[in-house]
Amino acid sequence: MARILFFGRLSDFAEAIEAPLPDGVRDTDALTAWLSRENARLGEALARPGVRVIVNNAFISAPLELSDTDEIAFTSPLSGG
Amino acid sequence: MARILFFGRLSDFAEAIEAPLPDGVRDTDALTAWLSRENARLGEALARPGVRVIVNNAFISAPLELSDTDEIAFTSPLSGG
Amino acid sequence: MGAPFTDIEIAAAPFDPEAAHADFRRRVDGAGAIVAFTGLVRGKTGDGEDVSRLTLQHYPGFTEKEITRIVSKASVRWPLVGSRIIHRTGDLESGEPIVFVATASIHRRAAFEAADFLMDYLKADAPFWKKETRGDNAMWIEPRAEDLIDKARWRDSEGDANARDQRDS
Amino acid sequence: MGAPFTDIEIAAAPFDPEAAHADFRRRVDGAGAIVAFTGLVRGKTGDGEDVSRLTLQHYPGFTEKEITRIVSKASVRWPLVGSRIIHRTGDLESGEPIVFVATASIHRRAAFEAADFLMDYLKADAPFWKKETRGDNAMWIEPRAEDLIDKARWRDSEGDANARDQRDS
Protein backbone atom coordinates (compact mmCIF):
# COMPACT_ATOMS: atom_id res chain seq x y z
CA MET A 1 0.00 0.00 0.00
CA ALA A 2 1.33 3.42 -0.89
CA ARG A 3 0.71 6.27 1.57
CA ILE A 4 -0.06 9.66 0.11
CA LEU A 5 0.04 12.63 2.50
CA PHE A 6 -0.78 16.33 2.17
CA PHE A 7 0.65 19.18 4.22
CA GLY A 8 0.02 22.89 4.61
CA ARG A 9 -2.41 24.47 2.19
CA LEU A 10 -2.78 21.14 0.37
CA SER A 11 -4.21 19.52 3.48
CA ASP A 12 -7.23 21.82 3.13
CA PHE A 13 -8.23 19.93 -0.01
CA ALA A 14 -7.33 16.30 0.60
CA GLU A 15 -7.02 13.70 3.33
CA ALA A 16 -4.24 11.15 3.53
CA ILE A 17 -4.70 8.19 1.20
CA GLU A 18 -3.55 4.66 2.00
CA ALA A 19 -4.09 2.53 -1.09
CA PRO A 20 -2.31 0.84 -3.98
CA LEU A 21 -1.07 3.36 -6.58
CA PRO A 22 -3.76 4.06 -9.19
CA ASP A 23 -3.54 2.06 -12.40
CA GLY A 24 -0.91 3.39 -14.74
CA VAL A 25 0.67 5.70 -12.12
CA ARG A 26 4.38 4.88 -12.11
CA ASP A 27 6.04 8.11 -11.00
CA THR A 28 5.46 11.30 -9.02
CA ASP A 29 4.44 13.36 -12.07
CA ALA A 30 1.82 10.80 -13.01
CA LEU A 31 0.56 10.77 -9.43
CA THR A 32 0.28 14.56 -9.40
CA ALA A 33 -1.65 14.44 -12.68
CA TRP A 34 -3.96 11.72 -11.37
CA LEU A 35 -4.65 13.60 -8.10
CA SER A 36 -5.38 16.78 -10.09
CA ARG A 37 -7.92 14.96 -12.28
CA GLU A 38 -9.65 13.38 -9.29
CA ASN A 39 -9.79 16.60 -7.26
CA ALA A 40 -9.89 19.89 -9.15
CA ARG A 41 -9.30 22.14 -6.11
CA LEU A 42 -6.35 20.01 -5.01
CA GLY A 43 -5.11 20.17 -8.62
CA GLU A 44 -5.20 23.98 -8.50
CA ALA A 45 -3.29 23.99 -5.20
CA LEU A 46 -0.71 21.49 -6.53
CA ALA A 47 -0.09 23.76 -9.51
CA ARG A 48 0.89 26.71 -7.31
CA PRO A 49 4.55 27.62 -7.05
CA GLY A 50 6.56 26.17 -4.20
CA VAL A 51 4.82 22.80 -3.95
CA ARG A 52 7.39 20.13 -3.12
CA VAL A 53 7.22 16.37 -2.99
CA ILE A 54 8.83 14.19 -0.32
CA VAL A 55 9.25 10.49 -1.08
CA ASN A 56 10.24 8.18 1.75
CA ASN A 57 11.39 11.11 3.89
CA ALA A 58 13.51 12.89 1.28
CA PHE A 59 12.63 15.89 -0.87
CA ILE A 60 12.83 14.99 -4.54
CA SER A 61 14.19 17.38 -7.12
CA ALA A 62 13.15 15.45 -10.25
CA PRO A 63 10.23 13.08 -10.99
CA LEU A 64 10.78 9.79 -9.20
CA GLU A 65 9.55 6.29 -9.98
CA LEU A 66 7.07 5.02 -7.37
CA SER A 67 6.04 1.66 -5.99
CA ASP A 68 3.25 0.50 -3.70
CA THR A 69 5.53 0.56 -0.64
CA ASP A 70 6.34 4.28 -0.91
CA GLU A 71 5.25 7.16 1.30
CA ILE A 72 4.65 10.24 -0.82
CA ALA A 73 4.02 13.65 0.75
CA PHE A 74 2.83 16.72 -1.15
CA THR A 75 3.71 19.92 0.65
CA SER A 76 2.94 23.59 0.15
CA PRO A 77 5.84 25.94 1.05
CA LEU A 78 6.78 25.28 4.65
CA SER A 79 6.40 28.12 7.14
CA GLY A 80 9.42 27.10 9.18
CA GLY A 81 9.67 26.60 12.93
CA MET B 1 33.95 61.30 57.57
CA ALA B 2 35.55 60.03 54.37
CA ARG B 3 35.04 56.37 53.45
CA ILE B 4 37.97 54.56 51.91
CA LEU B 5 37.27 51.17 50.32
CA PHE B 6 39.47 48.49 48.75
CA PHE B 7 38.43 45.93 46.14
CA GLY B 8 39.96 42.89 44.51
CA ARG B 9 43.59 42.18 45.26
CA LEU B 10 43.79 45.39 47.31
CA SER B 11 41.21 44.04 49.75
CA ASP B 12 43.73 41.37 50.77
CA PHE B 13 45.87 44.10 52.35
CA ALA B 14 43.45 46.60 53.84
CA GLU B 15 40.04 46.90 55.40
CA ALA B 16 37.61 49.72 54.73
CA ILE B 17 38.41 52.93 56.60
CA GLU B 18 35.82 55.37 57.87
CA ALA B 19 37.61 58.43 59.22
CA PRO B 20 38.47 62.04 58.49
CA LEU B 21 41.10 62.38 55.75
CA PRO B 22 44.65 62.27 57.21
CA ASP B 23 46.26 65.63 57.88
CA GLY B 24 47.58 67.22 54.73
CA VAL B 25 45.81 64.78 52.39
CA ARG B 26 43.92 66.96 49.91
CA ASP B 27 43.68 64.79 46.79
CA THR B 28 43.70 61.18 45.57
CA ASP B 29 47.45 61.15 44.85
CA ALA B 30 48.22 62.33 48.37
CA LEU B 31 45.84 59.70 49.77
CA THR B 32 47.54 56.96 47.73
CA ALA B 33 50.94 58.12 49.01
CA TRP B 34 49.70 58.23 52.64
CA LEU B 35 48.18 54.72 52.39
CA SER B 36 51.42 53.40 50.89
CA ARG B 37 53.47 54.83 53.75
CA GLU B 38 51.12 53.42 56.38
CA ASN B 39 50.93 49.95 54.81
CA ALA B 40 53.87 48.78 52.73
CA ARG B 41 52.16 45.70 51.27
CA LEU B 42 49.14 47.79 50.28
CA GLY B 43 51.55 50.31 48.80
CA GLU B 44 53.12 47.64 46.64
CA ALA B 45 49.69 46.50 45.46
CA LEU B 46 48.62 50.09 44.76
CA ALA B 47 51.70 50.55 42.59
CA ARG B 48 50.80 47.66 40.29
CA PRO B 49 49.44 48.48 36.85
CA GLY B 50 45.67 48.67 36.39
CA VAL B 51 44.77 50.07 39.82
CA ARG B 52 41.90 52.52 39.43
CA VAL B 53 40.24 54.94 41.80
CA ILE B 54 36.52 55.56 42.10
CA VAL B 55 35.39 58.72 43.87
CA ASN B 56 31.73 59.06 44.73
CA ASN B 57 30.79 56.29 42.31
CA ALA B 58 32.75 57.54 39.30
CA PHE B 59 36.10 56.37 37.98
CA ILE B 60 38.58 59.23 37.97
CA SER B 61 41.11 59.71 35.19
CA ALA B 62 43.23 62.40 36.88
CA PRO B 63 44.04 63.22 40.52
CA LEU B 64 40.95 64.63 42.19
CA GLU B 65 40.61 66.95 45.17
CA LEU B 66 39.03 65.22 48.17
CA SER B 67 36.92 66.25 51.12
CA ASP B 68 35.75 64.50 54.29
CA THR B 69 32.36 63.63 52.74
CA ASP B 70 33.83 61.62 49.88
CA GLU B 71 33.74 57.88 49.29
CA ILE B 72 37.01 56.76 47.72
CA ALA B 73 37.45 53.24 46.37
CA PHE B 74 40.77 51.74 45.30
CA THR B 75 40.33 48.85 42.90
CA SER B 76 42.60 46.30 41.29
CA PRO B 77 41.70 45.41 37.69
CA LEU B 78 38.14 44.16 37.68
CA SER B 79 37.52 40.59 36.59
CA GLY B 80 34.20 41.37 34.96
CA GLY B 81 30.85 39.66 35.45
CA MET C 1 33.59 16.22 27.29
CA GLY C 2 31.88 13.27 25.56
CA ALA C 3 29.63 13.39 22.51
CA PRO C 4 27.02 16.13 22.79
CA PHE C 5 23.50 14.93 23.60
CA THR C 6 20.50 16.14 21.65
CA ASP C 7 16.85 16.10 22.70
CA ILE C 8 14.28 16.86 20.05
CA GLU C 9 10.63 16.90 20.98
CA ILE C 10 7.51 17.70 18.99
CA ALA C 11 4.85 18.66 21.53
CA ALA C 12 1.17 18.49 20.64
CA ALA C 13 0.22 20.11 23.98
CA PRO C 14 1.55 23.17 25.83
CA PHE C 15 5.02 22.68 27.32
CA ASP C 16 6.84 24.37 30.17
CA PRO C 17 10.06 26.12 29.05
CA GLU C 18 11.32 26.44 32.62
CA ALA C 19 10.90 22.73 33.32
CA ALA C 20 12.79 22.04 30.07
CA HIS C 21 15.53 24.47 31.12
CA ALA C 22 15.86 22.92 34.58
CA ASP C 23 16.07 19.43 33.10
CA PHE C 24 18.62 20.58 30.52
CA ARG C 25 20.73 22.34 33.13
CA ARG C 26 20.90 19.19 35.25
CA ARG C 27 22.28 17.29 32.27
CA VAL C 28 24.99 19.68 31.07
CA ASP C 29 27.63 18.81 33.59
CA GLY C 30 30.84 20.70 32.90
CA ALA C 31 29.23 23.41 30.78
CA GLY C 32 29.96 27.04 31.61
CA ALA C 33 27.24 28.56 29.46
CA ILE C 34 23.60 27.84 28.63
CA VAL C 35 21.68 29.89 26.08
CA ALA C 36 17.94 29.31 25.88
CA PHE C 37 15.62 30.78 23.30
CA THR C 38 11.87 30.72 23.91
CA GLY C 39 9.54 31.78 21.12
CA LEU C 40 6.08 32.95 22.16
CA VAL C 41 2.98 33.25 19.99
CA ARG C 42 2.30 36.90 19.35
CA GLY C 43 -1.28 38.12 19.38
CA LYS C 44 -0.61 40.49 16.52
CA THR C 45 0.77 40.11 13.01
CA GLY C 46 3.48 42.33 11.57
CA ASP C 47 0.75 44.72 10.37
CA GLY C 48 -0.79 44.94 13.85
CA GLU C 49 -3.78 42.73 13.04
CA ASP C 50 -5.11 40.46 15.80
CA VAL C 51 -4.41 36.77 15.42
CA SER C 52 -6.91 34.68 17.32
CA ARG C 53 -5.21 31.36 16.75
CA LEU C 54 -2.12 29.79 15.25
CA THR C 55 -2.22 26.19 14.05
CA LEU C 56 0.93 24.25 13.37
CA GLN C 57 1.14 21.14 11.29
CA HIS C 58 4.16 18.88 11.11
CA TYR C 59 5.05 15.71 9.23
CA PRO C 60 5.63 13.07 11.90
CA GLY C 61 8.96 11.34 11.41
CA PHE C 62 10.17 13.64 8.66
CA THR C 63 10.04 16.79 10.82
CA GLU C 64 12.09 15.12 13.57
CA LYS C 65 14.57 13.86 10.95
CA GLU C 66 15.03 17.31 9.45
CA ILE C 67 15.51 18.93 12.87
CA THR C 68 18.06 16.25 13.74
CA ARG C 69 19.93 17.18 10.56
CA ILE C 70 19.91 20.88 11.56
CA VAL C 71 21.21 20.07 15.04
CA SER C 72 23.98 17.91 13.55
CA LYS C 73 25.18 20.91 11.55
CA ALA C 74 25.41 22.95 14.75
CA SER C 75 27.21 20.15 16.61
CA VAL C 76 29.86 19.96 13.93
CA ARG C 77 30.36 23.69 13.97
CA TRP C 78 30.42 24.41 17.72
CA PRO C 79 31.75 22.35 20.65
CA LEU C 80 28.43 21.76 22.41
CA VAL C 81 27.87 19.81 25.59
CA GLY C 82 24.23 19.35 24.62
CA SER C 83 21.22 20.86 22.94
CA ARG C 84 17.50 20.62 23.41
CA ILE C 85 14.71 21.59 21.05
CA ILE C 86 10.98 21.52 21.77
CA HIS C 87 8.55 22.59 19.07
CA ARG C 88 4.80 22.85 19.42
CA THR C 89 2.25 21.63 16.93
CA GLY C 90 -1.53 21.93 16.97
CA ASP C 91 -3.56 24.96 18.03
CA LEU C 92 -1.76 27.70 19.95
CA GLU C 93 -3.08 30.79 21.69
CA SER C 94 -1.37 34.14 22.01
CA GLY C 95 1.42 34.09 24.61
CA GLU C 96 1.98 30.33 24.48
CA PRO C 97 5.52 29.01 23.98
CA ILE C 98 5.89 27.73 20.43
CA VAL C 99 9.57 26.83 20.37
CA PHE C 100 12.35 26.28 22.89
CA VAL C 101 15.98 25.91 21.88
CA ALA C 102 18.72 25.47 24.48
CA THR C 103 22.42 24.98 23.88
CA ALA C 104 25.20 24.40 26.38
CA SER C 105 28.90 24.71 25.88
CA ILE C 106 32.02 25.27 27.89
CA HIS C 107 32.22 28.81 26.50
CA ARG C 108 29.53 31.39 26.04
CA ARG C 109 30.24 32.39 22.44
CA ALA C 110 29.69 28.85 21.19
CA ALA C 111 26.41 28.55 23.13
CA PHE C 112 25.14 31.90 21.80
CA GLU C 113 26.11 31.25 18.22
CA ALA C 114 24.76 27.71 18.16
CA ALA C 115 21.37 28.76 19.59
CA ASP C 116 21.14 31.65 17.13
CA PHE C 117 22.10 29.33 14.26
CA LEU C 118 19.57 26.69 15.31
CA MET C 119 16.76 29.24 15.42
CA ASP C 120 17.70 30.64 12.00
CA TYR C 121 17.76 27.18 10.48
CA LEU C 122 14.57 26.06 12.21
CA LYS C 123 12.81 29.19 10.93
CA ALA C 124 13.98 28.59 7.38
CA ASP C 125 14.11 24.81 7.02
CA ALA C 126 12.10 22.98 9.68
CA PRO C 127 9.08 21.23 8.13
CA PHE C 128 6.21 23.01 9.83
CA TRP C 129 3.19 24.55 8.21
CA LYS C 130 1.43 27.40 10.00
CA LYS C 131 -2.09 28.64 9.62
CA GLU C 132 -3.09 31.96 11.15
CA THR C 133 -6.70 32.55 12.05
CA ARG C 134 -7.81 36.18 12.13
CA GLY C 135 -11.46 36.41 12.94
CA ASP C 136 -13.19 34.13 10.41
CA ASN C 137 -10.21 34.21 8.11
CA ALA C 138 -7.61 31.43 8.10
CA MET C 139 -4.47 31.65 6.02
CA TRP C 140 -1.37 29.52 5.54
CA ILE C 141 1.86 31.35 6.21
CA GLU C 142 4.60 31.08 3.63
CA PRO C 143 8.30 31.56 4.35
CA ARG C 144 9.55 35.10 4.61
CA ALA C 145 12.52 36.51 2.81
CA GLU C 146 13.94 37.63 6.17
CA ASP C 147 14.15 34.04 7.39
CA LEU C 148 16.24 33.06 4.40
CA ILE C 149 18.48 36.09 4.95
CA ASP C 150 18.94 35.12 8.62
CA LYS C 151 19.99 31.64 7.58
CA ALA C 152 22.37 33.00 4.93
CA ARG C 153 24.29 34.83 7.69
CA TRP C 154 25.97 31.53 8.58
CA ARG C 155 27.22 30.70 5.10
CA ASP C 156 30.46 32.58 4.66
CA SER C 157 31.89 32.62 8.16
CA GLU C 158 32.52 28.96 8.90
CA GLY C 159 36.24 29.38 9.57
CA ASP C 160 35.64 32.49 11.59
CA ALA C 161 33.12 30.84 13.88
CA ASN C 162 35.43 27.93 14.55
CA ALA C 163 38.27 30.24 15.43
CA ARG C 164 36.11 32.10 17.92
CA ASP C 165 35.01 28.91 19.68
CA GLN C 166 38.45 28.32 21.01
CA ARG C 167 38.31 31.33 23.28
CA ASP C 168 37.43 31.14 26.94
CA SER C 169 33.88 31.74 28.16
CA MET D 1 5.00 48.59 23.76
CA GLY D 2 5.78 50.84 26.74
CA ALA D 3 9.20 51.61 28.19
CA PRO D 4 11.26 48.45 28.70
CA PHE D 5 11.55 47.25 32.28
CA THR D 6 14.88 46.29 33.80
CA ASP D 7 15.52 44.13 36.84
CA ILE D 8 19.04 44.06 38.20
CA GLU D 9 19.83 41.90 41.19
CA ILE D 10 23.06 41.19 43.02
CA ALA D 11 22.56 37.89 44.82
CA ALA D 12 24.72 36.93 47.79
CA ALA D 13 23.14 33.47 47.91
CA PRO D 14 22.40 30.85 45.21
CA PHE D 15 19.57 31.80 42.87
CA ASP D 16 17.25 29.75 40.69
CA PRO D 17 17.59 30.60 36.97
CA GLU D 18 14.34 28.82 36.10
CA ALA D 19 12.35 30.76 38.70
CA ALA D 20 13.85 33.95 37.28
CA HIS D 21 12.95 32.87 33.75
CA ALA D 22 9.36 32.03 34.73
CA ASP D 23 8.96 35.35 36.47
CA PHE D 24 10.47 37.21 33.52
CA ARG D 25 8.25 35.38 31.02
CA ARG D 26 5.13 36.34 32.96
CA ARG D 27 6.11 40.01 32.69
CA VAL D 28 6.99 40.25 29.00
CA ASP D 29 3.50 40.49 27.63
CA GLY D 30 3.53 41.00 23.87
CA ALA D 31 7.07 39.71 23.38
CA GLY D 32 7.68 37.07 20.73
CA ALA D 33 11.18 36.13 21.81
CA ILE D 34 13.05 35.53 25.06
CA VAL D 35 16.76 34.82 25.16
CA ALA D 36 18.23 33.71 28.46
CA PHE D 37 21.89 33.22 29.21
CA THR D 38 22.94 31.29 32.30
CA GLY D 39 26.58 31.22 33.28
CA LEU D 40 27.69 28.31 35.45
CA VAL D 41 30.84 28.03 37.56
CA ARG D 42 33.19 25.62 35.89
CA GLY D 43 35.16 23.20 38.03
CA LYS D 44 38.20 23.57 35.81
CA THR D 45 40.27 26.47 34.59
CA GLY D 46 41.26 26.98 30.96
CA ASP D 47 44.39 24.89 31.63
CA GLY D 48 42.35 22.02 33.07
CA GLU D 49 43.27 22.73 36.69
CA ASP D 50 40.63 22.07 39.34
CA VAL D 51 39.06 25.13 40.94
CA SER D 52 37.69 24.36 44.36
CA ARG D 53 36.01 27.72 44.90
CA LEU D 54 35.28 30.98 43.20
CA THR D 55 34.73 34.10 45.30
CA LEU D 56 33.12 37.20 43.83
CA GLN D 57 33.37 40.63 45.31
CA HIS D 58 31.29 43.59 44.21
CA TYR D 59 31.10 47.25 45.17
CA PRO D 60 27.57 47.73 46.56
CA GLY D 61 25.85 50.63 44.87
CA PHE D 62 28.53 51.21 42.26
CA THR D 63 28.21 47.73 40.71
CA GLU D 64 24.43 48.14 40.33
CA LYS D 65 24.94 51.61 38.86
CA GLU D 66 27.44 50.33 36.29
CA ILE D 67 25.19 47.42 35.29
CA THR D 68 22.28 49.84 34.91
CA ARG D 69 24.44 51.88 32.56
CA ILE D 70 25.26 48.78 30.49
CA VAL D 71 21.58 47.83 30.27
CA SER D 72 20.69 51.37 29.17
CA LYS D 73 23.07 51.02 26.25
CA ALA D 74 21.31 47.84 25.17
CA SER D 75 17.87 49.43 25.57
CA VAL D 76 18.84 52.29 23.29
CA ARG D 77 20.20 49.93 20.70
CA TRP D 78 17.49 47.25 20.60
CA PRO D 79 13.70 47.49 21.03
CA LEU D 80 13.40 45.44 24.20
CA VAL D 81 10.24 44.65 26.11
CA GLY D 82 12.33 43.96 29.19
CA SER D 83 15.56 42.62 30.56
CA ARG D 84 16.66 40.90 33.72
CA ILE D 85 20.09 40.43 35.16
CA ILE D 86 21.05 38.45 38.24
CA HIS D 87 24.67 38.27 39.32
CA ARG D 88 26.08 36.26 42.17
CA THR D 89 28.60 37.46 44.71
CA GLY D 90 30.27 35.60 47.54
CA ASP D 91 31.56 32.03 47.48
CA LEU D 92 30.46 29.81 44.62
CA GLU D 93 30.93 26.10 44.02
CA SER D 94 31.42 24.35 40.69
CA GLY D 95 28.15 24.05 38.74
CA GLU D 96 26.41 26.95 40.50
CA PRO D 97 24.77 29.67 38.39
CA ILE D 98 26.89 32.80 38.52
CA VAL D 99 25.04 35.05 36.11
CA PHE D 100 21.62 35.13 34.45
CA VAL D 101 20.78 37.54 31.66
CA ALA D 102 17.38 37.50 29.98
CA THR D 103 16.10 39.78 27.25
CA ALA D 104 12.69 39.91 25.61
CA SER D 105 11.69 41.57 22.40
CA ILE D 106 9.03 41.34 19.75
CA HIS D 107 11.60 39.85 17.40
CA ARG D 108 14.18 37.19 17.98
CA ARG D 109 17.20 38.95 16.46
CA ALA D 110 16.92 41.86 18.89
CA ALA D 111 16.59 39.51 21.87
CA PHE D 112 19.62 37.46 20.78
CA GLU D 113 21.82 40.44 20.04
CA ALA D 114 20.89 42.30 23.22
CA ALA D 115 21.61 39.28 25.45
CA ASP D 116 24.92 38.65 23.69
CA PHE D 117 25.83 42.36 24.01
CA LEU D 118 24.89 42.44 27.70
CA MET D 119 27.08 39.43 28.45
CA ASP D 120 30.02 40.88 26.53
CA TYR D 121 29.73 44.18 28.39
CA LEU D 122 29.19 42.53 31.77
CA LYS D 123 32.30 40.39 31.20
CA ALA D 124 34.39 43.41 30.29
CA ASP D 125 32.97 46.26 32.38
CA ALA D 126 30.90 45.08 35.32
CA PRO D 127 32.64 45.87 38.62
CA PHE D 128 33.23 42.40 40.02
CA TRP D 129 36.45 41.00 41.37
CA LYS D 130 36.97 37.25 41.25
CA LYS D 131 39.27 35.09 43.28
CA GLU D 132 39.87 31.49 42.28
CA THR D 133 40.91 29.00 44.91
CA ARG D 134 42.88 26.01 43.66
CA GLY D 135 43.85 23.79 46.53
CA ASP D 136 45.61 26.10 48.99
CA ASN D 137 46.27 28.69 46.34
CA ALA D 138 43.99 31.71 45.90
CA MET D 139 44.45 34.13 43.07
CA TRP D 140 42.65 37.20 41.80
CA ILE D 141 41.51 36.96 38.20
CA GLU D 142 42.32 39.86 35.92
CA PRO D 143 40.44 40.70 32.76
CA ARG D 144 41.24 38.66 29.70
CA ALA D 145 42.07 40.09 26.30
CA GLU D 146 39.25 37.94 24.84
CA ASP D 147 36.66 39.76 26.91
CA LEU D 148 37.78 43.09 25.54
CA ILE D 149 37.69 41.69 22.00
CA ASP D 150 34.15 40.39 22.57
CA LYS D 151 33.05 43.83 23.68
CA ALA D 152 34.76 45.47 20.71
CA ARG D 153 32.53 43.45 18.36
CA TRP D 154 29.72 45.90 19.10
CA ARG D 155 31.61 49.05 18.26
CA ASP D 156 31.46 49.46 14.51
CA SER D 157 28.10 47.95 13.69
CA GLU D 158 25.64 50.32 15.37
CA GLY D 159 23.80 51.22 12.16
CA ASP D 160 23.76 47.64 11.04
CA ALA D 161 22.27 46.36 14.28
CA ASN D 162 19.51 48.94 14.14
CA ALA D 163 18.62 48.03 10.58
CA ARG D 164 18.37 44.37 11.51
CA ASP D 165 16.00 45.06 14.43
CA GLN D 166 13.27 46.10 12.09
CA ARG D 167 12.85 42.63 10.70
CA ASP D 168 10.15 40.25 11.88
CA SER D 169 10.89 37.59 14.49
Side-chain angles (χ1 to χ4, degrees):
Chain A
M1 298 286 250
R3 289 187 70 197
I4 309 174
L5 308 170
F6 303 92
F7 292 96
R9 187 191 308 283
L10 303 175
S11 68
D12 285 346
F13 307 115
E15 303 270 316
I17 298 168
E18 192 139 6
L21 289 170
D23 278 346
V25 167
R26 301 234 157 71
D27 67 15
T28 48
D29 273 3
L31 181 58
T32 305
W34 183 85
L35 290 165
S36 304
R37 279 195 307 272
E38 291 287 308
N39 179 336
R41 294 184 65 202
L42 175 63
E44 247 172 69
L46 283 169
R48 289 179 66 147
V51 169
R52 292 171 78 188
V53 184
I54 299 167
V55 177
N56 300 331
N57 278 336
F59 281 111
I60 63 167
S61 48
L64 195 74
E65 208 172 310
L66 294 176
S67 82
D68 268 349
T69 56
D70 290 334
E71 179 172 294
I72 307 110
F74 291 87
T75 72
S76 65
L78 50 85
S79 321
Chain B
M1 299 284 249
R3 289 186 70 196
I4 309 175
L5 309 170
F6 302 94
F7 292 97
R9 186 190 311 281
L10 303 175
S11 67
D12 285 346
F13 307 114
E15 304 270 316
I17 299 168
E18 191 139 9
L21 288 169
D23 278 346
V25 166
R26 299 238 159 69
D27 66 16
T28 47
D29 273 2
L31 181 57
T32 304
W34 182 86
L35 289 166
S36 304
R37 280 194 306 274
E38 292 287 307
N39 178 337
R41 292 185 65 205
L42 176 62
E44 247 173 69
L46 283 169
R48 289 179 64 147
V51 168
R52 293 171 77 188
V53 184
I54 300 167
V55 177
N56 301 330
N57 279 335
F59 281 111
I60 63 166
S61 49
L64 194 74
E65 207 172 310
L66 294 176
S67 83
D68 269 348
T69 57
D70 290 333
E71 178 171 296
I72 306 110
F74 291 87
T75 72
S76 65
L78 51 85
S79 321
Chain C
M1 189 170 81
F5 68 87
T6 300
D7 267 352
I8 295 169
E9 185 182 339
I10 306 294
F15 68 90
D16 178 344
E18 287 83 22
H21 195 283
D23 178 64
F24 184 69
R25 185 159 64 93
R26 266 190 297 275
R27 292 185 60 189
V28 294
D29 195 38
I34 296 174
V35 172
F37 176 87
T38 306
L40 305 168
V41 176
R42 289 170 54 207
K44 298 213 177 282
T45 65
D47 348 316
E49 258 190 280
D50 285 335
V51 175
S52 51
R53 201 175 60 223
L54 188 66
T55 306
L56 267 96
Q57 212 175 53
H58 81 300
Y59 180 174
F62 183 66
T63 299
E64 291 85 341
K65 176 183 164 253
E66 289 293 291
I67 296 177
T68 302
R69 199 173 51 79
I70 292 169
V71 175
S72 308
K73 284 191 199 197
S75 301
V76 167
R77 199 153 166 172
W78 289 280
L80 300 179
V81 176
S83 56
R84 174 152 195 184
I85 294 178
I86 305 175
H87 208 297
R88 271 298 305 279
T89 57
D91 292 339
L92 285 91
E93 308 282 330
S94 165
E96 275 189 74
I98 179 169
V99 60
F100 175 83
V101 168
T103 55
S105 182
I106 295 185
H107 303 307
R108 86 174 178 285
R109 185 116 319 282
F112 263 118
E113 291 186 354
D116 196 4
F117 172 97
L118 287 173
M119 275 309 302
D120 282 353
Y121 271 76
L122 285 174
K123 279 276 173 188
D125 289 352
F128 289 100
W129 292 269
K130 283 180 189 154
K131 195 187 219 168
E132 265 181 18
T133 305
R134 311 178 187 186
D136 291 336
N137 230 347
M139 59 181 291
W140 291 96
I141 306 304
E142 308 223 329
R144 298 165 319 150
E146 292 82 19
D147 292 328
L148 303 177
I149 293 167
D150 282 340
K151 189 182 113 174
R153 292 193 298 141
W154 302 99
R155 284 284 156 70
D156 46 9
S157 60
E158 205 114 1
D160 185 43
N162 287 330
R164 284 153 84 194
D165 296 339
Q166 309 309 322
R167 293 198 266 113
D168 204 0
S169 106
Chain D
M1 189 169 78
F5 69 87
T6 300
D7 267 353
I8 295 168
E9 186 183 339
I10 306 293
F15 67 90
D16 178 345
E18 287 83 21
H21 195 283
D23 178 63
F24 185 68
R25 184 158 65 92
R26 266 191 296 276
R27 291 185 60 189
V28 295
D29 195 38
I34 297 174
V35 171
F37 177 87
T38 305
L40 305 169
V41 177
R42 288 169 55 206
K44 299 212 175 282
T45 65
D47 350 316
E49 258 191 283
D50 285 335
V51 175
S52 52
R53 202 174 61 222
L54 188 66
T55 305
L56 267 98
Q57 211 176 54
H58 80 300
Y59 179 175
F62 183 66
T63 299
E64 291 85 339
K65 175 183 165 255
E66 290 293 292
I67 296 178
T68 302
R69 201 173 50 80
I70 292 169
V71 175
S72 309
K73 284 190 200 198
S75 302
V76 167
R77 198 152 165 175
W78 290 279
L80 300 179
V81 176
S83 56
R84 174 152 195 184
I85 294 177
I86 305 175
H87 209 298
R88 271 297 307 276
T89 58
D91 292 339
L92 286 92
E93 307 284 329
S94 166
E96 274 191 75
I98 178 169
V99 58
F100 175 83
V101 168
T103 56
S105 182
I106 294 184
H107 304 306
R108 88 173 178 285
R109 184 117 319 282
F112 262 117
E113 291 186 356
D116 196 4
F117 172 98
L118 287 172
M119 276 308 303
D120 281 353
Y121 270 77
L122 286 173
K123 279 276 172 187
D125 289 353
F128 290 99
W129 293 270
K130 283 180 189 156
K131 195 188 221 168
E132 266 180 16
T133 306
R134 311 179 188 186
D136 290 337
N137 229 350
M139 60 180 290
W140 291 95
I141 306 305
E142 308 222 329
R144 297 165 318 151
E146 293 83 21
D147 293 329
L148 304 176
I149 293 168
D150 281 340
K151 190 181 113 174
R153 291 194 299 142
W154 303 98
R155 283 285 157 69
D156 48 9
S157 61
E158 205 113 4
D160 185 42
N162 286 329
R164 285 154 81 195
D165 296 338
Q166 308 311 320
R167 292 199 266 114
D168 204 357
S169 107

